[in-house]
Amino acid sequence: MKQNKRIVFLNCAHYSLDDRIFYHQAKSLSENGFEVFIFSLKEDFQQTDENITINSINAQSFSQKNKLKTSISFLTRTNPQLIICDAPLAVFAAFFYRIKNNLKVKVLYDVTEWYPSKKNVKNLKGFIKFIKACILLIINIMAGLLSSAFIFGEYYKSLPFRILYFWKLHQLIPYYPDHKYIKQYPNLRSDHIFKITYTGIISREKGIDHVLHSLALVANDFPDIVLNLQIIADFSTEKEKDHFKNLISQLPSNVLIDVKPFQPFLEFCKQIGDTNVFLDLREKNFENDHCLPIKLFYYLACGRPVIYSDLKAIKKEIYPFNFGYLVSPSEHQIIAKYLEKYLIDYQLYYEHSANALQASENKFRWDFIKNDFISFIKNFIKL
């Protein structure tokens, strides 16, 4: 393979050091002789790491038109053979660059988000909300039309594109982690302290109420055990922050809360494994139910039990779920009983821990899909 094959990751929705883009895809491409560039519109950031050059700017205050111009200008300077796009705006920029400068360049759409999602229309109501959602949906369909091929992070998000553009090349590349990033901690149980970890976004929609209500029930049943809740997350709004403060003020005294802001990827991977169980009780709605949580695979790589909302996307990807429990997030009594099982039954706890690590090592790791990704990119560029 020629060493001058250039690939640009054009990020309009993700940061430069995104876990999937930088730490998995870009590094794997670099290791296989590609010259890789990352350009994000989310931040001012420059870095050269081995054969990966990052030259990002903070364009979040730019108009859509200026974001397009800025992206096209970068692509013109870089002159890539392949552009991997993370969002419709990136696809449009890549397409305009293609027709103006380089008809041979390939445009690959890496679909990992619902578009539109609830966050795109969260401050709108009624007819205006409906109209904007329809416009954004049409834009995403057009982005699929302008793309040369697709990478999909998960099954359900692939369906609209696989149905509409059934003739286009595509490859499923799930969110499995490279185990070299995950810090392993001794799996020690204490009769006096039980550690629970929650990560992501602190909000009612993401299930923080369900987590705290469930823990309060356990704390009342086991007053001599300290329940240490480690939260690595940011608040979605100030209103959610005030709501959270009100909730924790009502918790039993044997529930301790340690809140850390969401961490850079490598720090996140170092910290999350220092726990006894992972808890994620996000609300069940269409978007959540059809989104496969990335962090679930990182939890499994830590070798700890997981209690998660009973999401359709999880059941589609993982069977059997023999390392924890899938639950209705509002059934706090049942969730509390599952947590109490781990407090009482050490054999069950260690069995589920071992099953989690075994599932990760045998099924859900980057090493098992890396060659599929590299082969797809190599064959696609040759076409």
Side-chain angles (χ1 to χ4, degrees), residues 114 154-160 289-291 312-314 316:
W114 283 112
E154 55 192 277
Y155 172 77
Y156 287 111
K157 290 172 186 172
S158 76
L159 287 179
D289 207 26
H290 294 83
C291 283
K312 193 174 181 180
I314 293 177
K316 177 67 179 177

Side-chain angles (χ1 to χ4, degrees), residues 5-29:
K5 289 294 186 183
R6 289 186 171 188
I7 296 177
V8 166
F9 286 90
L10 188 57
N11 297 352
C12 292
H14 295 84
Y15 287 92
S16 308
L17 299 182
D18 177 78
D19 56 321
R20 175 177 172 86
I21 294 168
F22 177 74
Y23 285 102
H24 291 85
Q25 294 180 347
K27 282 189 172 289
S28 296
L29 290 169

Side-chain angles (χ1 to χ4, degrees), residues 121-269:
V121 294
K122 65 179 179 179
N123 295 321
L124 302 176
K125 294 182 179 180
F127 186 68
I128 296 176
K129 182 176 183 177
F130 174 76
I131 291 298
K132 182 172 183 181
C134 289
I135 292 172
L136 294 177
L137 178 61
I138 292 169
I139 289 173
N140 200 28
I141 292 172
M142 290 178 62
L145 179 64
L146 300 179
S147 302
S148 310
F150 302 99
I151 291 176
F152 300 116
E154 55 192 277
Y155 172 77
Y156 287 111
K157 290 172 186 172
S158 76
L159 287 179
F161 298 98
R162 288 168 53 206
I163 293 170
L164 288 172
Y165 307 113
F166 57 88
W167 67 90
K168 294 193 177 189
L169 290 175
H170 65 269
Q171 179 69 45
L172 183 67
I173 304 294
Y175 312 121
Y176 304 164
D178 190 327
H179 279 212
K180 69 183 180 183
Y181 298 124
I182 309 295
K183 181 176 180 179
Q184 296 293 335
Y185 287 83
N187 194 3
L188 304 176
R189 281 295 312 275
S190 167
D191 292 332
H192 309 293
I193 299 175
F194 192 75
K195 297 179 180 180
I196 307 99
T197 294
Y198 168 102
T199 72
I201 298 293
I202 304 174
S203 71
R204 278 165 278 198
E205 196 267 337
K206 292 300 183 182
I208 192 61
D209 284 43
H210 300 310
V211 169
L212 295 179
H213 288 319
S214 300
L215 290 183
L217 294 173
V218 178
N220 287 327
D221 288 344
F222 291 83
D224 295 331
I225 295 180
V226 173
L227 301 179
N228 189 347
L229 175 61
Q230 174 185 223
I231 298 177
I232 306 175
D234 293 326
F235 293 95
S236 60
T237 64
E238 284 298 316
K239 185 177 180 180
E240 290 290 354
K241 186 175 183 179
D242 292 338
H243 176 72
F244 175 78
K245 288 180 178 178
N246 180 58
L247 282 178
I248 63 174
S249 69
Q250 303 172 43
L251 291 173
S253 60
N254 58 323
V255 179
L256 301 182
I257 310 289
D258 179 21
V259 180
K260 301 176 184 176
F262 202 81
Q263 301 294 304
F265 175 70
L266 294 180
E267 285 301 313
F268 176 82
C269 291

